[in-house]
């Protein structure tokens, strides 16, 4: 089953004002390329060729930069007129992304992890493979969804932005979900309404015993949503640790 990608580039980017008053935060520079080039590079090197980009009133700027995509690609642009939460943003992308498996990529997240083998195995699984979560060890994980693991190292829960984190494993903003994702989203929205978070979906997979996580180990991911982390990622880009290119080097 084909795996498609939804790149969520919405929100007002308040932590990066005043720059985000004039442009979308994914168009801010990491050294010499916009943030979105690194996100798209990760998606493309994962072998994904069907991509939906969700953004706000600056989506025209993104479309002007990204264009119609590379040869063999199909890119859809979806306007989020008002920020009404993650669930509503994802539902706007639903018409382009049903009956498939999904990579959901929150555009602040830049990583050195390569997904080619991961996506291929996920796509080729004969039975719905559940979900795959990206995790990293974080000294202060309170700002993230945090994994709860049992004595065998299996994930048994995700706690959203806890005051007292149950572990130091922060769950990153890049996820792989199987074809049952939309049913789980519908149920979570019905149950939780405006309190919905992506962790609600993760917990639904966990309850079915269908969630796994991959710790980035020596690799990393950076949330570029603040001036400090934007600078950190820019230094990594300058040092050649981050890759904006769409193809893996041979």
């Amino acid at each position: 089953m084909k795996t498609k990608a939804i790149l969520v580039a919405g929100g007002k980017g308040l932590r990066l004002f005043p720059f985000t008053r004039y442009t979308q935060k994914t168009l801010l520079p990491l050294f010499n390329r916009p943030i979105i080039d690194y996100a798209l590079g990760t998606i493309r090197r994962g072998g994904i060729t069907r991509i939906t980009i969700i953004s706000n009133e600056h989506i025209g700027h993104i479309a002007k930069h990204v264009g119609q995509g590379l040869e063999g690609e199909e890119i859809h642009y979806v306007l989020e007129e008002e920020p009404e939460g993650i669930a509503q943003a994802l539902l706007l992308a639903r018409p382009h992304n049903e009956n498939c498996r999904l990579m959901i990529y929150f555009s602040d997240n830049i990583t050195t992890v390569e997904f080619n083998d991961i996506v291929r195995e996920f796509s080729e699984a004969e039975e719905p493979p559940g979900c795959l979560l990206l995790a990293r060890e974080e000294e202060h994980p309170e700002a993230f969804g945090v994994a709860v693991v049992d004595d065998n190292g299996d994930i048994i829960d995700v706690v959203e932005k806890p005051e007292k984190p149950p572990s130091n494993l922060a769950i990153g903003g890049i996820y792989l979900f199987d074809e049952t994702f939309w049913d789980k989203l519908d149920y979570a929205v019905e149950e939780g309404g405006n309190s919905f978070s992506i962790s609600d979906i993760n917990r639904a997979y966990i309850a079915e015993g269908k969630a796994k996580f991959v710790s980035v180990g020596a690799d990393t991911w950076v949330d570029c949503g603040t001036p400090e982390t934007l600078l950190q990622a820019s230094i990594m880009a300058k040092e050649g640790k981050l890759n904006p290119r769409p193809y893996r080097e041979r």
Side-chain angles (χ1 to χ4, degrees):
M1 180 172 284
K2 184 178 290 292
T3 297
K4 301 181 182 181
I6 299 175
L7 180 59
V8 183
K12 294 295 186 181
L14 297 177
R15 296 178 296 174
L16 290 167
F17 257 41
F19 307 108
T20 45
R21 183 176 297 161
Y22 314 109
T23 192
Q24 218 284 324
K25 58 187 173 182
T26 59
L27 295 176
L28 296 177
L30 290 187
F31 183 45
N32 61 353
R33 298 284 290 271
I35 292 172
I36 197 169
D37 285 5
Y38 294 89
L40 284 172
T42 297
I43 292 169
R44 287 163 164 164
R45 292 193 307 276
I48 296 173
T49 59
R50 301 293 181 266
I51 305 168
T52 301
I53 301 176
I54 307 168
S55 192
N56 54 19
E57 67 269 21
H58 300 302
I59 195 166
H61 298 162
I62 293 176
K64 186 174 182 179
H65 173 66
V66 176
Q68 295 180 343
L70 304 176
E71 184 177 354
E73 263 184 0
E74 184 179 296
I75 294 184
H76 298 281
Y77 296 97
V78 175
L79 171 64
E80 182 186 23
E81 294 185 3
E82 295 293 336
E84 298 181 358
I86 296 301
Q88 293 306 312
L90 291 171
L91 287 169
L92 291 172
R94 186 172 186 167
H96 304 296
N97 295 281
E98 293 196 279
N99 302 314
C100 64
R101 293 169 185 170
L102 288 171
M103 173 183 279
I104 294 184
Y105 194 125
F106 289 90
S107 61
D108 291 351
N109 294 272
I110 303 302
T111 184
T112 59
V113 176
E114 295 292 342
F115 285 89
N116 187 52
D117 292 339
I118 294 171
V119 169
R120 186 179 64 253
E121 291 178 9
F122 197 81
S123 299
E124 292 177 353
E126 292 187 7
E127 298 296 325
C131 77
L132 188 67
L133 312 176
L134 192 68
R136 75 164 184 227
E137 294 185 1
E138 175 71 31
E139 185 176 354
H140 299 290
E142 296 88 350
F144 303 92
V146 180
V148 182
V149 296
D150 62 17
D151 293 339
N152 296 320
D154 296 322
I155 188 166
I156 56 174
D157 199 1
V158 176
V159 184
E160 187 69 20
K161 299 180 180 179
E163 292 183 8
K164 296 180 179 180
S167 75
N168 67 344
L169 287 173
I171 300 298
I174 306 172
Y175 312 88
L176 285 171
F177 295 113
D178 68 16
E179 56 270 36
T180 67
F181 171 81
W182 295 112
D183 289 339
K184 290 179 171 60
L185 176 63
D186 289 340
Y187 181 78
V189 170
E190 183 179 341
E191 289 292 302
N194 293 334
S195 66
F196 171 88
S197 77
I198 201 72
S199 291
D200 296 331
I201 304 293
N202 299 336
R203 280 192 289 270
Y205 280 101
I206 291 168
E208 294 178 351
K210 300 282 285 185
K212 297 180 181 179
F213 73 93
V214 175
S215 183
V216 299
D219 290 306
T220 191
W221 56 265
V222 180
D223 179 343
C224 298
T226 69
E228 294 80 9
T229 53
L230 188 64
L231 175 59
Q232 177 189 353
S234 295
I235 292 170
M236 291 174 66
K238 183 178 180 181
E239 293 174 346
K241 295 177 181 177
L242 299 175
N243 185 5
R245 292 181 292 278
Y247 305 111
R248 300 181 72 180
E249 294 181 350
R250 301 187 181 219

